[in-house]
Every structure is written in structure tokens, then in C-alpha cells.
Amino acid sequence: MVKGLLLLCLFAFLPFTLLAQVKATIEPIEIMIGQQARVTLTVDGDASADIEWPTLSARQQIVDGVEIVSVSHPETNTMQIVLTSFDGNLYHLPPLKVKVGGKETQTADLALKVNEVEVDTTQLDKMCPPKDVQDNPFLWSEWSPLFGMSVLLLLLVAVGVYLLSRLLAGKPVIAHIKIVRRLLPHQKAMQQIEQIKADKMVASENQKEYYTKLTDTLRRYIEERYGFSAMEMTSSQIIERLTASGDQKSLDELRQLFNTADLVKFAKYSTLINENDANLVNAIDFINQTKLENVPTEEVQKPQLSAEDQRSQKERKVLKTVLWTISIVSLAMIAYIVYEMWQLLM
């Protein structure tokens, strides 16, 4: 009884690693030639103990005829060895040595059976012998569609380059919309009258020139203001056209101005300076009394293209459409040719 207690105490103070066990299992234990089997080494005991696994590497033969494929450690206390063999036989796998906490322990013996593929030797004439590596034969029927499509692609590219050169050589017709700022009829007339004043034609000896410029200014104003061709009408015809719509007092003054002008231009009538001043004032009064101010002074002008420019624009549109079509078709053909060549060469 005393000896049993002493042994129990002795084992209680021994390191736990002395009690560690190393187990080895193989699965499956029977394989065909070229198949793989997995050997698993497991250390039972303290997980924190220092473990030294056997030094093994891929392509190493563990015994004659059995080769290691790979070695891995999925867990700290586990090692896995993948084996294979290409010779049919029953192999004895020797124990593997593992150090746990400095103490060397070895696994149990294992066995691996490798079966050969059965061959029916009675029908050897039906078995095909091994063949050498052969190149794929060149078949023109496989490549001729790609060759024809490549020629067509080159023609399309040539046509596209020619059309592009035509497009770049031709000067584009650009129709710019212009916004024209126009002076109102009374503004133009007043500018011309100011010019008559600046030229001091009122006191000029050449009264015919003075009245010609003054009446022409009024005629142009009336033509733009009322919309009839006053430049081609006589003074009396202008007065008649204005009678229906004008103020009688302003028309009387205008009639007197035209009569004086006709006398000066055609009858060599001479006027005094104060009479010239009065007629200039009458012209200004007539313009001020008949002017229209709430009229837009800006006008949008769309240029009218000539027949040649219109034809040029249509040709450029057609060229651009054809070029875009050629580009899209060419890209699609290139992608198809490259894909088919890749398929043939693979």
C-alpha cells in the first residue's frame, strides 16, 4: 500500500510530456496506382509542449516505391503526409520518430497496398499503342473565311482612309446666325440731320445740295416708317399718301418744305438763311411727331446658303455617316477575326 502511494506521487510530479503518445493513421490503406493516401500523425498530450516533427519534404521517397506528395501541419499537434505510388505492391511503412518535450517517441508501423490496373492480355490486338505528340494539321477550309474577311477588312480601311481624306480636304460650310442691331428710322434720320448741321449746309451758298440732302433724308425716313417707296415718288404724291394718317399741321409744314425744296432744285429759287433754318426745324418736328419708339432694334439674320454650299453640306453629312459605318463594321470584323484565330490556335 505504501509503495503504491509512492509510485502515484512520483508519477504526479513527472512532466506531463513523458506521458504523451504519438498516433499514426493511414487512409485509405488500399489505393490504385497513381492515387493518394493520407498519413496523419497526432500527438496526444499537452498542446503547449515543444514538438519536433520528422523532417520530410515533397518528392521524397518514404520507402522504395512510395513517394511523398506534400507535407502539412493543419493543427499544432497534427502533421499530415500525402503519399502516392506508381508500382503495385504491399508496402511496409516504417515508424516515424517524433520528439515531444525533448523525449523521442515513434509511431506504430503502417502498411499501404497499391493495386495495379488489370489488363486483358487476351485482347492485346485491340489495344491502341501510345502515340507521339502531333501538331494539328493545317486545313485551308478553316482559315479561308478568315483570310477572305481580312482582305475585305483591308478594302474597308482603304475606302475609309480615302473618304476621310476627302472629308478633311473639303472646307466645311458653317452657317452662322447673326444678330444685327438696327437703328430705328427716326434715329437714322436724326443722325443724317445732325450731319447736315455739322457740315453747316444751312448757311451754304449751294442751297440745291442742302435741300436735296434734307428731302432725301425725309424720303428715306417716310419709306422706312410708312412702308411705301417714297424715294421714287414726287413731293405731291408723298403728301397724298400721308394725308390719311398724318397730323394736318405737320403735313402742312412738310408740304411747305417740299414746295420750297422743289423751287430751289428746279426753279433756281433762292432762300434766306432763316427760311432754311425754319425748314430744318419743320423736318425735325415731323420726324419727332411721327416716330415709333417701341420697336425692337435687334434682328436675327439666318444666312441663306447657296445651292453649292447646300450640296457641300449634304456631301459632308453622307461622308461622315459612311465613315462611322465603316469604323463600326471594321472594329466588329477585327474582334471576330482575332477571336476565331485564337480558337484555331488553341
Side-chain angles (χ1 to χ4, degrees):
M1 182 72 178
V2 175
K3 290 182 179 180
L5 290 174
L6 290 175
L7 289 174
L8 182 62
C9 293
L10 180 62
F11 280 109
F13 287 101
L14 284 175
F16 182 73
T17 55
L18 294 179
L19 302 178
Q21 294 182 351
V22 180
K23 296 180 180 179
T25 58
I26 184 169
E27 183 182 354
I29 61 174
E30 186 174 350
I31 62 174
M32 298 294 293
I33 288 178
Q35 290 184 336
Q36 296 178 352
R38 186 182 303 274
V39 176
T40 304
L41 305 182
T42 306
V43 176
D44 294 335
D46 188 2
S48 63
D50 185 18
I51 302 173
E52 294 183 22
W53 299 102
T55 304
L56 300 172
S57 60
R59 304 186 66 84
Q60 176 184 346
Q61 286 196 349
I62 194 166
V63 293
D64 230 5
V66 179
E67 182 179 327
I68 297 175
V69 177
S70 64
V71 179
S72 62
H73 299 274
E75 298 178 5
T76 57
N77 62 337
T78 303
M79 180 180 185
Q80 290 186 351
I81 307 166
V82 179
L83 305 176
T84 189
S85 177
F86 297 95
D87 294 320
N89 203 347
L90 177 60
Y91 294 97
H92 167 257
L93 304 181
L96 298 173
K97 296 178 181 181
V98 181
K99 285 186 178 181
V100 181
K103 180 178 176 58
E104 186 175 270
T105 307
Q106 65 180 17
T107 64
D109 294 356
L110 298 175
L112 176 65
K113 184 177 181 181
V114 181
N115 297 319
E116 294 181 346
V117 178
E118 294 184 2
V119 180
D120 189 359
T121 57
T122 62
Q123 299 182 1
L124 291 177
D125 56 333
K126 295 184 179 180
M127 297 183 62
C128 297
K131 295 183 179 181
D132 295 333
V133 178
Q134 297 180 354
D135 293 330
N136 291 329
F138 178 83
L139 298 177
W140 174 247
S141 59
E142 294 179 344
W143 289 88
S144 57
L146 296 181
F147 178 77
M149 190 170 293
S150 300
V151 174
L152 179 60
L153 176 62
L154 291 176
L155 292 176
L156 281 177
V157 172
V159 172
V161 171
Y162 171 72
L163 293 179
L164 181 62
S165 63
R166 287 283 305 274
L167 183 65
L168 296 177
K171 186 177 181 181
V173 179
I174 302 175
H176 295 289
I177 298 176
K178 296 181 180 179
I179 299 178
V180 181
R181 185 177 296 275
R182 293 179 173 242
L183 291 176
L184 296 176
H186 70 275
Q187 294 174 336
K188 293 181 184 178
M190 292 304 298
Q191 284 185 356
Q192 294 171 359
I193 289 176
E194 291 298 326
Q195 186 62 41
I196 292 174
K197 289 181 180 181
D199 293 341
K200 298 180 180 180
M201 299 186 68
V202 177
S204 173
E205 295 181 358
N206 192 350
Q207 297 179 352
K208 182 178 180 179
E209 182 183 5
Y210 165 68
Y211 278 101
T212 299
K213 288 189 175 182
L214 183 60
T215 53
D216 285 349
T217 299
L218 288 172
R219 286 172 183 272
R220 280 190 289 270
Y221 167 72
I222 293 170
E223 186 170 306
E224 294 182 9
R225 166 64 176 80
Y226 292 99
F228 60 88
S229 53
M231 294 297 294
E232 300 175 0
M233 300 172 66
T234 62
S235 301
S236 58
Q237 290 173 337
I238 293 173
I239 297 300
E240 288 178 4
R241 289 290 300 269
L242 293 175
T243 300
S245 58
D247 179 29
Q248 191 60 37
K249 181 180 179 182
S250 63
L251 288 178
D252 289 340
E253 294 174 350
L254 185 63
R255 184 183 293 108
Q256 181 181 354
L257 189 155
F258 276 124
N259 289 336
T260 303
D262 288 342
L263 290 173
V264 170
K265 290 189 290 184
F266 304 112
K268 297 183 180 180
Y269 176 74
S270 297
T271 58
L272 299 176
I273 294 178
N274 59 349
E275 191 175 359
N276 295 339
D277 288 334
N279 286 325
L280 185 64
V281 171
N282 291 339
I284 294 173
D285 289 342
F286 174 76
I287 293 170
N288 289 331
Q289 291 173 12
T290 57
K291 66 182 178 181
L292 295 176
E293 294 185 296
N294 297 325
V295 178
T297 58
E298 290 185 355
E299 180 180 355
V300 177
Q301 287 187 346
K302 296 182 178 179
Q304 298 294 326
L305 298 179
S306 63
E308 183 178 355
D309 288 340
Q310 292 178 358
R311 185 170 59 255
S312 177
Q313 276 192 335
K314 290 181 181 179
E315 289 179 355
R316 292 182 67 83
K317 288 180 180 179
V318 172
L319 284 176
K320 289 180 179 179
T321 303
V322 174
L323 282 172
W324 273 109
T325 304
I326 289 176
S327 300
I328 294 172
V329 173
S330 298
L331 290 175
M333 291 177 65
I334 290 173
Y336 177 78
I337 291 172
V338 171
Y339 174 76
E340 289 297 325
M341 289 182 64
W342 182 74
Q343 290 289 333
L344 289 174
L345 294 174
M346 288 297 294

